[in-house]
Structures are given as structure tokens and as C-alpha cells.
Amino acid sequence: MGRHKKPIPLHILHGTFREDRVNLKAPLPDINIPDCPPELDTVGQTEWIRITAHLYRLNMIADMDLAVLAGYCHCFEQFIKTAEQIKKTGYLIKSPTGYPIINPIISINARARGDMLAFAKELGLTVIQRSKIKTDNNTKDISPMEKFLKKEGS
């Protein structure tokens, strides 16, 4: 099956952009934060706000990313909710016959974690993906405090 192809902006950010290997006529969408889907509950909405702010500052988000972002936030939501359930009920539960069995919520949690990681890779949110990104520090909406701290740290 092979790897998924990276979009041009990720090639540019990772420093792997080569004109002879990419479609230079590929569309480059405007940088914009899509509206949060109402289907997400408070956990998903909080993650949406948190992650879209970071992606916007790095110029890595567009309205076209709505489905991938919604998928990531939904999986994050499922992961957190199932983790809370496991914390309450434990890793083992009693079967209808009274014997201890592995809590079925564990497999739901593992699936949500795997799906969340897949979406995170598509968005460039994992540690490995992030380590490949090269920026020119041309980010949006840096607060005055952050500017001050950057000057102090230099």
C-alpha cells in the first residue's frame, strides 16, 4: 500500500520540497480556521480550540481541513471518555457468569487512540512529524508576552 503523499505545504515546512517531485499546480488553500462542528461535545470542542490555534499560528490550517480536524477531535473525545470509564470500572470486569474478563472498553479506547494518532499524523501533530517541520518563524498571532519571552531567551 505504501506511504501517503505529503501535501506541498508539509514538504516546504519539512524542507523536502523539490520542484521536480511535486505538482506545482496543486491548489494551496487560504489559511483559515474552520468552524467547530456542533456534533463534538465539550471535550472535543476544547481540543478543537486548542489544536486549531496552534495550527493557525503555523499557517497549517484551512477550511478544507474540516473533516480531518473533526475526525481527530472526535477520536480524542472517545479516547478521553473511554479512559475515564476504564478508570471507574477497572481493567477487569465480571462476566454475566461471574468470571473476570477484560473490560471491552479497553479495545474501544485502543481503537480511538490508534485512529487519533492516524489523524494526528495527517495534520502534522505527532512528535516525529513536528520534528521534520522547518519554519521561518513567520507565524500568526504571537502575543506580546511571547514576543517578549523570545527576546529574553535570545
Side-chain angles (χ1 to χ4, degrees):
M1 188 168 154
R3 293 184 191 180
H4 293 290
K5 290 188 176 189
K6 284 186 203 174
I8 292 174
L10 276 183
H11 273 292
I12 292 168
L13 289 170
H14 290 171
T16 59
F17 176 77
R18 286 183 45 181
E19 287 186 28
D20 61 326
R21 292 191 175 179
V22 296
N23 177 7
L24 294 176
K25 295 182 180 180
L28 293 174
D30 292 332
I31 305 302
N32 191 29
I33 298 176
D35 293 333
C36 182
E39 296 79 20
L40 294 174
D41 72 2
T42 55
V43 174
Q45 289 173 356
T46 302
E47 180 63 5
W48 179 278
I49 292 165
R50 186 187 74 81
I51 206 65
T52 55
H54 290 295
L55 291 171
Y56 182 76
R57 286 185 56 221
L58 294 170
N59 297 321
M60 292 177 52
I61 190 169
D63 284 327
M64 298 172 76
D65 300 323
L66 174 66
V68 178
L69 283 165
Y72 167 78
C73 291
H74 176 71
C75 292
F76 179 82
E77 185 179 288
Q78 282 185 327
F79 176 71
I80 296 300
K81 285 182 173 183
T82 55
E84 289 169 352
Q85 278 189 301
I86 293 168
K87 197 173 184 179
K88 289 177 189 172
T89 59
Y91 287 91
L92 294 175
I93 61 171
K94 287 189 179 182
S95 69
T97 57
Y99 290 99
I101 60 169
I102 295 174
N103 192 339
I105 298 293
I106 292 171
S107 63
I108 297 169
N109 180 271
R111 179 65 186 252
R113 182 181 61 241
D115 291 347
M116 180 179 64
L117 182 60
F119 281 116
K121 286 178 183 176
E122 290 293 322
L123 293 166
L125 301 178
T126 64
V127 174
I128 293 170
Q129 290 292 333
R130 205 169 44 248
S131 70
K132 296 176 185 177
I133 296 173
K134 296 175 185 174
T135 64
D136 58 356
N137 291 327
N138 186 17
T139 59
K140 296 183 182 295
D141 293 336
I142 296 177
S143 72
M145 183 61 156
E146 287 175 309
K147 287 179 186 176
F148 175 76
L149 292 174
K150 281 187 178 184
K151 287 179 186 174
E152 287 292 310
S154 301

